């Protein structure tokens, strides 16, 4: 499923998620409500530092009875906006199921490049492996997931050389890319590239679809059924390019009916949603 030739206007319509969902502010308000409830129920250990960058911190949610696994969540915001605390609601169903949740912050464009953000996310996972047990996480059973830009970052973790980072083995059991951008070529013509500062070569180098996974881990590819045609295409693209990494029993990306780019991630607050259940099955 090769990338179509798109005009600049088509790229804007396909990737400007806020323009595509005019009521997106309502979803940000909903995230805040859901996150406040999750933090009240499962108070996190906030702003644990995993690296030297200004935003290289994470919030760790730990089950009272001890963690059997860890979900490392990477937030979205087009690598240039939002914050881990906007997505604290993700933690609820996983902590209730005995899974620690490391909700990761990272530095943002244009202060840093996307390549730097990829490096920071790898550093966060390495921190969970090396330091997580001392804070209540389970470092030997890690699933990494993310939404939007976070979906891209989660996929990039499967292409990471962990031995070069000093780890004895691949730490990732499975991954989730929800509404991810897996081919960054269109980003070069997107208006937000004023912050990304990508050229064609760097976009290609940072595109999971151009990389061979170094991990054997499966990756759950998911997307809202009401997202733009470009986000639907991006999800199918990774599914097609990484056939050896499909979760057992799935014959295509998980397409969540009736969900747009902002509503689909809110399904993580619901323990009975198809998205939450499919993610829990990875553990």
């Amino acid at each position: 499923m090769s990338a179509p030739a798109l005009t600049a206007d088509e790229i804007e319509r396909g990737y400007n998620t806020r323009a595509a969902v005019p009521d997106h502010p309502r979803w940000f308000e909903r995230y805040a409500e859901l996150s406040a409830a999750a933090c009240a129920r499962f108070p996190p250990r906030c702003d644990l530092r995993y690296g030297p960058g200004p935003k290289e911190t994470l919030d760790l949610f730990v089950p009272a009875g001890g963690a059997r696994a860890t979900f490392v969540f990477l937030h979205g915001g087009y690598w240039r906006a939002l914050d881990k605390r906007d997505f604290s609601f993700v933690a609820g169903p996983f902590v209730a199921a005995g899974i620690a949740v490391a909700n990761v912050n990272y530095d943002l464009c244009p202060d840093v490049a996307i390549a730097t953000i990829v490096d920071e996310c790898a550093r966060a996972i390495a921190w969970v492996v090396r330091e997580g047990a001392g804070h209540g996480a389970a470092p030997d059973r890690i699933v990494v997931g993310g939404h939007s830009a976070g979906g891209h970052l989660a996929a990039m973790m499967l292409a990471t050389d962990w031995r070069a980072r000093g780890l004895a083995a691949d730490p990732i059991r499975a991954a989730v890319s929800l509404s991810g951008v897996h081919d960054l070529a269109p980003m070069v013509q997107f208006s937000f590239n004023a912050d990304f500062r990508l050229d064609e070569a760097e976009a290609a180098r940072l595109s999971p679809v151009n990389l061979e996974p170094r991990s054997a881990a499966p990756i759950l590819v998911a997307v809202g059924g009401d997202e733009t045609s470009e986000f639907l295409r991006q999800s199918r693209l990774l599914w097609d390019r990484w056939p050896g990494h499909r979760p057992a029993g799935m014959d295509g990306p998980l397409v969540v009916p009736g969900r747009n780019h902002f509503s689909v991630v809110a399904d993580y607050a619901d323990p009975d949603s198809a998205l939450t259940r499919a993610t829990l099955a990875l553990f």
Side-chain angles (χ1 to χ4, degrees), residues 186-201:
M187 299 296 98
V188 177
Q189 298 182 65
F190 186 29
S191 59
F192 290 6
N193 199 38
D195 289 339
F196 306 154
R197 303 177 190 174
L198 292 169
D199 58 23
E200 290 183 3

Side-chain angles (χ1 to χ4, degrees), residues 1-175:
M1 201 171 184
S2 60
L6 299 176
T7 67
D9 285 346
E10 289 170 335
I11 288 173
E12 288 298 316
R13 287 197 300 272
Y15 291 99
N16 193 326
T17 53
R18 297 192 184 194
V21 184
D23 71 342
H24 63 267
R26 177 173 70 87
W27 286 104
F28 293 144
E29 293 172 1
R30 183 61 176 153
Y31 296 171
E33 294 167 358
L34 293 170
S35 292
C39 289
R41 184 181 179 193
F42 303 111
R45 303 171 187 183
C46 295
D47 296 323
L48 299 173
R49 180 156 292 282
Y50 67 82
K55 291 183 179 291
E56 285 188 71
T57 62
L58 58 84
D59 294 345
L60 187 64
F61 296 78
V62 178
R68 64 181 177 88
T70 302
F71 186 34
V72 177
F73 184 77
L74 309 172
H75 73 79
Y78 263 129
W79 307 280
R80 66 199 274 274
L82 304 182
D83 183 90
K84 58 181 167 49
R85 295 189 185 180
D86 297 319
F87 296 90
S88 296
F89 63 83
V90 169
F94 295 94
V95 178
I99 297 166
V101 176
N103 192 19
V104 177
N105 249 13
Y106 48 80
D107 292 303
L108 300 173
C109 300
D111 292 338
V112 299
I114 293 176
T116 299
I117 297 172
V118 172
D119 186 63
E120 290 183 359
C121 291
R123 194 149 49 235
I125 290 174
W127 182 92
V128 173
V129 173
R130 294 179 175 130
E131 309 290 341
H135 296 274
D140 55 348
R141 198 176 186 87
I142 294 173
V143 174
V144 59
H147 170 243
S148 195
H152 161 265
L153 296 167
M156 289 296 289
M157 296 303 97
L158 297 194
T160 295
D161 183 350
W162 295 104
R163 292 185 183 275
R165 292 178 173 273
L167 299 186
D170 174 15
I172 298 175
R173 177 181 178 85

Side-chain angles (χ1 to χ4, degrees), residues 163-225:
R163 292 185 183 275
R165 292 178 173 273
L167 299 186
D170 174 15
I172 298 175
R173 177 181 178 85
V176 183
S177 177
L178 174 62
S179 309
V181 180
H182 308 120
D183 174 13
L184 271 59
M187 299 296 98
V188 177
Q189 298 182 65
F190 186 29
S191 59
F192 290 6
N193 199 38
D195 289 339
F196 306 154
R197 303 177 190 174
L198 292 169
D199 58 23
E200 290 183 3
E202 186 70 347
R205 189 178 75 85
L206 294 172
S207 294
V209 296
N210 295 332
L211 303 174
E212 289 296 327
R214 293 175 176 267
S215 173
I219 182 166
L220 171 65
V221 180
V223 66

